[in-house]
Amino acid sequence: MEGMAKTSTTTQGLRAAIERSGYYPALVAEAVEAAVGGEPIRSYLVHQETTFDQNEVRRHVTVLVLTGNRFIVSHTDEQAADTTSPTPYATTSTESVKLGRISSVVLSRVVANPESYTPATLPREIVLTIGWGAVSRIDLEPAACGDPNCDADHGYTGSSTADDLSLRVSEAGDGPETVRQALVFAQSLSEATADVTR
């Protein structure tokens, strides 16, 4: 990531986190660098996930970056050789979102033994969900009235949820440092979106 300012501690931390993930670091770093450009980095999160697809193990890395004006998402997936490619390959994509477009930042925390919880205790896991209107999920169900014998059609009822990105980070699977970094990133993003709306 030579193009990024070498004096920035946050930039150096991001570079080190990408290297530590060990997941095609040169490829991931180049994609993130191109998306960030010359903007200073305010916060970041690198999250690697392993999934099982039938008989194959697949890895995926997501890099989230917050700059002064944008929220950047980078995804990199590896694919086995298939009918379209005789060799294994990786796909990297980045999306840049203006902070003003972010409509929701949801942070769900799972804590053990809530009756004895003390402030600043690290959650067992967190789920960070960020919405900016690119993807919405609609959940519908048949509407009903209060009469149990009614068989009339009352149409449907439901809800629409912005669900562009959902990331689960756990202490057991990702380690306590990744959970801490995810909490810091979520707070930084929430504060940044609040600043934009003022």
Side-chain angles (χ1 to χ4, degrees):
M1 296 174 70
E2 290 297 317
M4 290 187 183
K6 291 183 178 180
T7 57
S8 168
T9 304
T10 307
T11 300
Q12 292 170 352
L14 173 59
R15 184 182 305 121
I18 290 172
E19 291 287 336
R20 253 191 326 274
S21 79
Y23 184 81
Y24 308 123
L27 175 65
V28 173
E30 183 179 58
V32 171
E33 178 186 81
V36 170
E39 284 189 75
I41 295 170
R42 293 171 63 177
S43 190
Y44 64 88
L45 175 62
V46 177
H47 181 256
Q48 184 176 327
E49 184 179 18
T50 303
T51 58
F52 300 93
D53 183 15
Q54 296 174 359
N55 295 332
E56 295 179 21
V57 175
R58 294 184 189 231
R59 295 180 304 159
H60 174 90
V61 70
T62 300
V63 180
L64 308 180
V65 178
L66 176 64
T67 72
N69 301 307
R70 298 180 298 145
F71 165 64
I72 297 163
V73 184
S74 174
H75 295 287
T76 304
D77 291 289
E78 63 183 359
Q79 306 291 330
D82 57 24
T83 57
T84 64
S85 175
T87 59
Y89 60 98
T91 304
T92 299
S93 64
T94 57
E95 183 174 0
S96 175
V97 181
K98 288 185 178 182
L99 289 177
R101 284 190 48 213
I102 295 178
S103 55
S104 66
V105 179
V106 180
L107 182 66
S108 300
R109 302 170 188 241
V110 178
V111 297
N113 303 313
E115 69 281 354
S116 59
Y117 177 80
T118 56
T121 300
L122 202 62
R124 186 172 65 195
E125 70 179 59
I126 66 166
V127 177
L128 175 60
T129 305
I130 304 165
W132 58 90
V135 177
S136 292
R137 183 181 70 236
I138 299 176
D139 295 318
L140 294 175
E141 61 183 43
C145 66
D147 181 357
N149 297 320
C150 179
D151 60 357
D153 183 355
H154 294 286
Y156 289 88
T157 185
S159 62
S160 175
T161 309
D163 195 11
D164 296 297
L165 175 74
S166 190
L167 205 62
R168 178 182 171 269
V169 180
S170 72
E171 189 175 16
D174 304 296
E177 188 52 41
T178 304
V179 174
R180 270 190 210 89
Q181 187 66 40
L183 290 169
V184 168
F185 183 83
Q187 182 174 349
S188 297
L189 183 60
S190 289
E191 290 170 356
T193 56
D195 289 343
V196 168
T197 58
R198 285 183 189 151

